[in-house]
Amino acid sequence: MKKALAFLLFLIAAGISWYCYTFGILHRGAPQSASPAALEKSVRVVPVKDQKSGLVFPLVGRVFASKSVEITPEVTARISKVHVSSAQAVKKGQLLIELDHGMEEAKLREETVRLDNQLRRLSMMQKLNSKGVVSLDSMEQLRAETEQQKAVVEARKAALEERKIYAPFSGVLSMHRLTPGELVKPGNVLLQLDDLSEVYVDFNIPERLMSQLVPGQKVTGTAEAWPNEKFNGVVREIDTHVKSDTLAIKIRVFFKNDNVRLLDGMMMEIELSLFGGRYAIIPLKSIWYQGDDRYVFILNKDGTVSRRRIVLGPVTGSFAAVLDGIRPGMQVVSEGIEKLSDGDRVRVLSDEKTLEELSDDVPLRKKNRTGDAVL
């Protein structure tokens, strides 16, 4: 009896010990739940603004003379005389180069003498015909031969003129090393003549900006050769074809060049002021870059953020216009985007900055081949 009672007490004690041990493990060892505040990430946000943007579009292009021609001979001959020097300004019709033309002059004199004889005979036959001495048919035949000889003389004169090279328009000649006696052939470039009183530059702009361009629009340009000088130009021509590979359209800007500061082949940069429109505007520092895509983080009403892909428009200073992806009235994260993921819960700092106060921190930008600012 005593043994049974002792065994029973042992079982009761063991049960109590097991219960106490298990209950303590479940309560003391359970992980503590993290507070919601510990999971939040601190950010600053700015509202997306809707404003009219007068934008400046940077473009780079090459200068071309308004008129430019390579002067080549039409015949194979030796140079007999060079009438101009290197880089000389010339007038339209001015004689530049004479090729050897002794043979052509001799042939012209010969054919001219024949024509003179024909004319004398024709004059005499006309007098005889009036007296009825010669027939009308004989006189008309001689008249036809005379007209044929006139054509031969004109051909000889043209052949002689081919040996003389004149300036087709007023301009400035290139440098040269032409020497009398040098044999030249058709296709050999003897001189280059450029009219630099006006120059033009071709630029490529995205087709989406076509609606903001009109012929006659004013632009301002600069050249590295003259860093402290501004050149005023005007958009005079807009191409009628869009390039299929770049979706860009060519515009032609003309510049007055009376002082001949701009030379053919120079590189020039212009600032094309666009008429602009109403855009959603955000600070550049709120943009997240991933490959060729651009994103922003939108603050939701429940305190979380959503990542949105955006399409950027033109850039002005420290702000960017957004063509698609967000709308005015939304709030985008302006600071703290580097630690965010889509759906994260955030805590907005109370000392948030205004859009204007964020204008000092501007990321680096590069230019694509069209000259457009790329972010």
Side-chain angles (χ1 to χ4, degrees):
M1 185 67 179
K2 291 182 178 180
K3 290 182 178 180
L5 183 61
F7 182 72
L8 180 61
L9 292 175
F10 172 76
L11 291 177
I12 293 172
I16 293 172
S17 299
W18 178 84
Y19 175 79
C20 292
Y21 174 79
T22 304
F23 185 83
I25 289 296
L26 291 176
H27 286 75
R28 290 194 306 271
Q32 300 296 319
S33 299
S35 64
L39 298 177
E40 294 176 346
K41 298 176 181 178
S42 298
V43 297
R44 287 191 174 91
V45 298
V46 293
V48 179
K49 290 190 174 183
D50 175 26
Q51 68 182 49
K52 185 173 179 62
S53 178
L55 302 169
V56 176
F57 205 74
L59 298 168
V60 178
R62 178 188 167 195
V63 174
F64 292 92
S66 59
K67 295 179 184 177
S68 182
V69 64
E70 292 181 338
I71 296 175
T72 62
E74 297 183 24
V75 296
T76 299
R78 296 188 181 277
I79 296 175
S80 62
K81 191 171 184 180
V82 179
H83 293 272
V84 291
S85 57
S86 294
Q88 178 181 335
V90 297
K91 298 293 184 180
K92 180 179 179 179
Q94 182 174 336
L95 181 60
L96 307 178
I97 299 170
E98 285 186 76
L99 303 180
D100 182 42
H101 52 268
M103 183 66 69
E104 281 64 32
E105 283 186 335
K107 290 180 179 180
L108 176 60
R109 287 195 298 270
E110 180 182 359
E111 298 300 339
T112 301
V113 169
R114 288 180 181 175
L115 177 60
D116 291 340
N117 289 333
Q118 293 278 48
L119 289 172
R120 282 194 299 269
R121 288 178 59 195
L122 179 61
S123 177
M124 184 180 298
M125 187 167 288
Q126 286 173 339
K127 292 177 182 179
L128 294 175
N129 177 256
S130 64
K131 296 178 181 181
V133 177
V134 296
S135 66
L136 181 61
D137 289 343
S138 298
M139 187 186 70
E140 291 301 325
Q141 182 178 356
L142 182 58
R143 189 193 304 275
E145 292 175 355
T146 303
E147 292 299 321
Q148 183 179 3
Q149 186 61 31
K150 286 182 180 179
V152 173
V153 171
E154 292 300 321
R156 292 302 180 189
K157 287 181 179 179
L160 179 60
E161 285 301 306
E162 287 180 346
R163 307 297 175 117
K164 298 178 182 180
I165 301 175
Y166 300 89
F169 52 81
S170 299
V172 180
L173 295 170
S174 63
M175 298 180 68
H176 68 82
R177 295 183 61 184
L178 299 176
T179 305
E182 180 181 352
L183 180 65
V184 295
K185 300 178 180 180
N188 293 157
V189 178
L190 307 182
L191 296 168
Q192 179 161 331
L193 177 63
D194 297 317
D195 180 2
L196 294 172
S197 60
E198 186 177 55
V199 297
Y200 70 88
V201 186
D202 288 340
F203 299 101
N204 293 317
I205 66 167
E207 63 169 329
R208 59 184 169 81
L209 300 177
M210 246 194 93
S211 61
Q212 303 181 41
L213 283 174
V214 292
Q217 191 167 339
K218 299 293 195 296
V219 301
T220 301
T222 57
E224 289 188 3
W226 312 100
N228 300 320
E229 189 168 350
K230 298 286 186 180
F231 299 92
N232 297 319
V234 60
V235 178
R236 194 177 298 171
E237 299 172 8
I238 300 176
D239 202 357
T240 56
H241 295 82
V242 176
K243 294 183 179 179
S244 58
D245 54 344
T246 61
L247 295 181
I249 191 166
K250 182 166 65 177
I251 64 172
R252 184 161 291 176
V253 182
F254 285 81
F255 296 86
K256 286 294 183 182
N257 193 33
D258 297 331
N259 53 7
V260 196
R261 286 277 204 270
L262 302 174
L263 303 180
D264 189 277
M266 265 186 186
M267 298 305 294
M268 192 170 189
E269 182 172 351
I270 68 167
E271 294 179 350
L272 181 62
S273 297
L274 303 179
F275 296 131
R278 299 203 69 84
Y279 298 100
I281 302 295
I282 60 174
L284 294 179
K285 65 187 302 180
S286 65
I287 301 171
W288 179 259
Y289 309 90
Q290 185 173 352
D292 293 331
D293 295 328
R294 306 293 180 258
Y295 298 90
V296 293
F297 286 93
I298 302 297
L299 179 65
N300 301 318
K301 292 182 179 180
D302 61 358
T304 62
V305 293
S306 299
R307 193 175 73 163
R308 290 281 188 91
R309 184 177 180 275
I310 60 174
V311 178
L312 288 178
V315 175
T316 302
S318 58
F319 305 119
V322 180
L323 305 180
D324 190 30
I326 59 174
R327 62 179 183 273
M330 291 181 171
Q331 289 188 310
V332 297
V333 176
S334 60
E335 294 185 22
I337 61 174
E338 65 280 351
K339 58 187 176 183
L340 291 181
S341 298
D342 192 30
D344 281 352
R345 182 170 296 279
V346 297
R347 179 169 60 90
V348 179
L349 298 180
S350 58
D351 58 336
E352 72 178 53
K353 296 181 180 180
T354 65
L355 188 64
E356 289 74 17
E357 291 173 330
L358 296 170
S359 62
D360 294 333
D361 188 8
V362 181
L364 293 177
R365 290 174 284 166
K366 63 181 180 179
K367 290 182 179 178
N368 64 12
R369 55 186 172 184
T370 66
D372 194 359
V374 178
L375 294 174

